[in-house]
Amino acid sequence: MTVELPTTAYACLRFMEAGLKDISGDCALIDAELLLSHTLGWPRMRVYAEREFTLLYRETVALSEAYMRRMCGEPVAYILGVQEFWSLEFDVSPETLIPRADTETLVEVSLTTLKEKNSPRILDLGTGTGCILLSLLHERADASGVGVDVNAGAVTLAQNNAHKLGLSGRAQVIESNWFEHVPAGQFDLITSNPPYIPAADIEGLMQDVRDYEPMSALDGGDDGLAAYRLITESAPQYLAPSGYLAVEIGIAQSEDVSRLFVTAGFEDVTAHKDLAGINRVIIGKKS
């Protein structure tokens, strides 16, 4: 499916911005810039310097196809095949959750925690693109880690991202249903951004999330806490003495998840806010 676009770069940008208002809201201009810059292989802001640049026919066709995919609700990250996270570029696919800025809070909290650890070992559960584990390894050249995911496609994608970022030598990515195939040994830090949307709330999610992102990465069971119960109960046996567990949480889940940490025997359980002031990460220390 295509639509006829204007022939010049800036006119294309404004045409797409107007058309994307309903689907992209306040992000319509950003989405239009991303689609245009990706199609032309330009930095995002170059269009403002070369407003009268005339697109080739093949560029117009490719841009039109990308625009219509977004108009149908497909997330921009899946259209482009990449998403920036922690100032790094990660390949993405419909088999993985799209990395989001909220999750950078988990990276920030984890890095602060790891300051007291030498050559830390990290386990990332439900690694998806590998964005959490690989961002941590990028910041800590002495760290190594294991990422696990139940989805074979996600495992391959995370492995490719590790190679792309030059981290394959310190990052192992394996197929595992949570802790099922985690290799023996103890970790200084376990991280996870598990599915946490209550099943009844899935239908109310935004279209580009509900219809395109993998349900296994969204559905947290009846109350949204199913994965947290499993993780908090099992994590202590995989943590080194004084090791930490850090997880991302959804809105209004802070008290419930903190309670699960305490029940599992974790100490110094604290909540950390994201840039919007919402409790986004719970971390606790192995007793």
Side-chain angles (χ1 to χ4, degrees), residues 246-267:
V247 298
E248 180 172 328
I249 60 171
I251 296 174
Q253 291 181 324
S254 180
E255 290 186 8
D256 289 333
V257 176
S258 294
R259 193 176 301 114
L260 291 174
F261 270 63
V262 173
T263 300
F266 285 91
E267 299 177 337

Side-chain angles (χ1 to χ4, degrees), residues 30-73:
I30 294 174
D31 285 357
E33 290 172 348
L34 288 169
L35 294 176
L36 181 59
S37 64
H38 178 77
T39 300
L40 298 179
W42 286 5
R44 210 173 94 201
M45 295 296 104
R46 182 176 167 183
V47 64
Y48 297 101
E50 300 193 41
R51 296 183 175 210
E52 299 306 316
F53 177 85
T54 300
L55 277 68
L56 299 174
Y57 174 75
R58 58 178 173 79
E59 293 170 334
T60 302
V61 172
L63 182 60
S64 177
E65 290 176 348
Y67 170 68
M68 290 308 298
R69 287 171 65 182
R70 181 64 188 130
M71 286 289 286
C72 290

Side-chain angles (χ1 to χ4, degrees), residues 110-111 113-123 133 136-137 139-146 170 186-190 240 243-244:
S110 296
L111 287 172
T113 298
L114 290 175
K115 284 182 179 179
E116 63 187 66
K117 307 288 185 181
N118 294 318
S119 301
R121 293 194 71 222
I122 303 164
L123 172 64
L133 174 64
L136 292 172
L137 298 186
E139 294 296 324
R140 286 290 302 265
D142 62 333
S144 61
V146 178
R170 294 188 285 125
Q186 294 182 313
F187 296 90
D188 298 293
L189 172 69
I190 296 176
Y244 287 85

Side-chain angles (χ1 to χ4, degrees), residues 163-176:
H163 177 75
K164 177 180 177 180
L165 296 170
L167 297 168
S168 295
R170 294 188 285 125
Q172 179 186 9
V173 187
I174 62 174
E175 188 174 345
S176 177

Side-chain angles (χ1 to χ4, degrees), residues 3-190:
V3 64
E4 186 173 348
L5 295 174
T7 57
T8 61
Y10 188 73
C12 280
L13 180 70
R14 290 308 181 191
F15 179 92
M16 292 190 296
E17 179 191 9
L20 291 173
K21 286 290 186 183
D22 287 342
I23 191 71
S24 299
D26 293 340
C27 294
L29 177 57
I30 294 174
D31 285 357
E33 290 172 348
L34 288 169
L35 294 176
L36 181 59
S37 64
H38 178 77
T39 300
L40 298 179
W42 286 5
R44 210 173 94 201
M45 295 296 104
R46 182 176 167 183
V47 64
Y48 297 101
E50 300 193 41
R51 296 183 175 210
E52 299 306 316
F53 177 85
T54 300
L55 277 68
L56 299 174
Y57 174 75
R58 58 178 173 79
E59 293 170 334
T60 302
V61 172
L63 182 60
S64 177
E65 290 176 348
Y67 170 68
M68 290 308 298
R69 287 171 65 182
R70 181 64 188 130
M71 286 289 286
C72 290
E74 186 173 354
V76 171
Y78 290 155
I79 298 170
L80 306 186
V82 294
Q83 175 69 24
E84 182 179 304
F85 179 87
W86 200 255
S87 298
L88 302 170
E89 185 180 84
F90 289 86
D91 291 346
V92 299
S93 81
E95 295 186 271
T96 63
L97 198 68
I98 297 169
R100 288 172 169 79
D102 291 344
T103 303
E104 293 186 349
T105 306
L106 179 54
V107 175
E108 291 173 357
V109 172
S110 296
L111 287 172
T112 300
T113 298
L114 290 175
K115 284 182 179 179
E116 63 187 66
K117 307 288 185 181
N118 294 318
S119 301
R121 293 194 71 222
I122 303 164
L123 172 64
D124 185 37
L125 300 167
T127 200
T129 61
C131 66
I132 297 169
L133 174 64
L134 298 177
S135 296
L136 292 172
L137 298 186
H138 181 266
E139 294 296 324
R140 286 290 302 265
D142 62 333
S144 61
V146 178
V148 303
D149 203 289
V150 71
N151 185 309
V155 170
T156 299
L157 186 68
Q159 290 171 336
N160 291 341
N161 279 325
H163 177 75
K164 177 180 177 180
L165 296 170
L167 297 168
S168 295
R170 294 188 285 125
Q172 179 186 9
V173 187
I174 62 174
E175 188 174 345
S176 177
N177 186 13
W178 300 115
F179 293 96
E180 185 178 10
H181 296 134
V182 172
Q186 294 182 313
F187 296 90
D188 298 293
L189 172 69
I190 296 176

